[in-house]
Amino acid sequence: MTTRVNPDDSGTITRPPTGTVPSQPVAVHRSTFSWRSLTHRPETGAFVGTALVFVFFAIFGGAQFLSLGGTASWLNIAAELAIIALPVGLLMISGEFDLSVGSVVAGSSVTLALVSGAGGAPMWVGVIAALALGVLVGFVNGYIVTRTNVPSFIVTLAMQFALAGLTLGIARLLTGSTSIPLDVDPFFKAVFGALIGGQFEVAIIWAIVIALVVAWILQMTKYGNWIFATGGDTQSARASGIPVNKVKIGLFISTSVGASLVGIIQTSLYNGAQTGVGQSFVFNSVIAVVVGGVLLTGGYGSVIGVILGTLTFAIVNQGIYYTGWNSDWAALILGILLLAAVLMNNTFRKLALTGGASKPSTKKGK
């Protein structure tokens, strides 16, 4: 029998005591809305952060930031980041990291351009090859981590460097250049690289669909319970019959496939590939996930929080240009925001796990 993880009245995730398995399904009670219950949710801190930075840049960025073009600038960045950050968030909830996503973006982009550009194969063959690269890299990462117990930080960092070197070497060997052009088929241009209204990337639709799928997996399936249980206590999860290794390998594959999808989107959008693209996603995805309320130690987080984290990052990243200030200040703001998010998330997590109740006082004679 597997351990079920159920939301409590405040919407947070609770588990049975370690080593125990409930004999009957735990009932889910829905309470009425209350402001107090909001403080118990993992995405509350992320919402506060998003609201604050939006108001900040709306004031100092003025009408340009609030214009359609200004909105498109940060929504486009948030969409591409979310496609990677959502599966990365699931992986971090399970207690693991993936620092190879940057090279997967570049590797998939170059693979598509080589196969369907320099190689002359149909576009769909290049897309499948790019996605297959993501599946392969994710499987290798997950297999090594689960079989050797080497920290995923080290394994995926090694993969990041190895795949980056392999991508650069193959591109130079086959084309003699680090830039590979691609004449994108109109159908695939519409699916992956179109601009809606001339400003909004179709990646926004992809991000919304992926967010809905991930939310369904995390909240409505037993696999979502397994992810939380794996991140909360790996040994107890194994003792409860959860296939921990398969869960982790599957999550590593999902992060790499998400990165491959971004590589395909960028190649279709810009009609070509660059061997150096995607490296910013390595830490930007982690920043967005942490700002979104996912704990670095695993076992806690939400899809809404990750989405809010990507929006916060994108607003800061683009908002600074509309203020007229030196763009160097964006890094300072992101650093302060990351530290504040970690401190705030720890506070909201404690409220969630304790129900916000204070410890009863002990008095003599009572």
Side-chain angles (χ1 to χ4, degrees):
M1 182 181 295
T2 58
T3 303
R4 297 293 297 172
V5 182
N6 298 278
D8 62 12
D9 290 349
S10 64
T12 58
I13 301 298
T14 58
R15 300 181 185 83
T18 302
T20 65
V21 180
S23 58
Q24 298 179 357
V26 180
V28 179
H29 302 283
R30 302 295 182 186
S31 63
T32 56
F33 173 83
S34 69
W35 288 107
R36 180 182 176 185
S37 68
L38 289 179
T39 64
H40 302 165
R41 299 189 62 86
E43 62 269 13
T44 301
F47 176 77
V48 172
T50 303
L52 287 177
V53 297
F54 181 84
V55 171
F56 178 86
F57 286 108
I59 293 173
F60 292 98
Q64 283 189 320
F65 174 78
L66 296 174
S67 67
L68 197 63
T71 302
S73 69
W74 56 265
L75 269 183
N76 291 338
I77 288 180
E80 291 187 5
L81 181 59
I83 292 172
I84 296 178
L86 284 164
V88 166
L90 293 187
L91 183 65
M92 288 178 61
I93 290 174
S94 75
E96 304 291 350
F97 282 90
D98 189 350
L99 300 181
S100 66
V101 292
S103 289
V104 175
V105 171
S108 299
S109 179
V110 169
T111 298
L112 173 57
L114 285 175
V115 172
S116 298
M123 187 76 177
W124 64 268
V125 176
V127 169
I128 292 177
L131 292 174
L133 175 67
V135 173
L136 177 62
V137 171
F139 176 80
V140 171
N141 282 337
Y143 186 84
I144 294 176
V145 169
T146 55
R147 293 294 179 179
T148 66
N149 291 322
V150 175
S152 55
F153 181 93
I154 300 299
V155 172
T156 57
L157 185 61
M159 179 63 77
Q160 164 75 5
F161 287 114
L163 185 57
L166 182 63
T167 300
L168 179 60
I170 290 178
R172 285 188 182 277
L173 179 65
L174 297 180
T175 67
S177 174
T178 59
S179 178
I180 308 169
L182 174 64
D183 185 14
V184 182
D185 180 89
F187 172 78
F188 289 93
K189 185 73 172 181
V191 173
F192 297 110
L195 289 176
I196 302 172
Q199 298 186 83
F200 296 90
E201 293 181 17
V202 74
I204 296 173
I205 296 177
W206 279 101
I208 293 172
V209 172
I210 291 172
L212 292 174
V213 171
V214 171
W216 176 77
I217 291 173
L218 197 61
Q219 300 297 332
M220 304 300 292
T221 70
K222 67 179 181 181
Y223 191 76
N225 288 338
W226 290 354
I227 293 172
F228 279 110
T230 299
D233 191 329
T234 301
Q235 297 307 317
S236 294
R238 282 198 174 97
S240 300
I242 295 174
V244 171
N245 288 355
K246 290 183 178 179
V247 169
K248 289 188 176 182
I249 290 174
L251 291 174
F252 275 110
I253 291 175
S254 71
T255 60
S256 291
V257 169
S260 292
L261 179 57
V262 171
I264 294 170
I265 288 172
Q266 291 191 346
T267 305
S268 301
L269 182 64
Y270 301 115
N271 299 311
Q274 297 281 345
T275 58
V277 301
Q279 301 308 314
S280 62
F281 288 105
V282 176
F283 290 107
N284 291 352
S285 60
V286 175
I287 292 173
V289 169
V290 172
V291 171
V294 176
L295 291 184
L296 292 171
T297 52
Y300 188 81
S302 73
V303 173
I304 295 176
V306 174
I307 290 294
L308 290 171
T310 61
L311 290 174
T312 301
F313 176 90
I315 290 171
V316 172
N317 185 274
Q318 289 297 294
I320 195 72
Y321 296 103
Y322 293 96
T323 62
W325 304 342
N326 191 314
S327 60
D328 293 342
W329 292 108
L332 173 63
I333 296 174
L334 282 174
I336 295 174
L337 182 64
L338 179 61
L339 179 59
V342 172
L343 297 175
M344 188 184 303
N345 292 339
N346 284 337
T347 300
F348 282 113
R349 174 178 175 268
K350 291 177 182 177
L351 286 172
L353 297 180
T354 61
S358 58
K359 294 183 179 179
S361 58
T362 303
K363 297 182 181 180
K364 294 183 178 180
K366 297 281 186 174

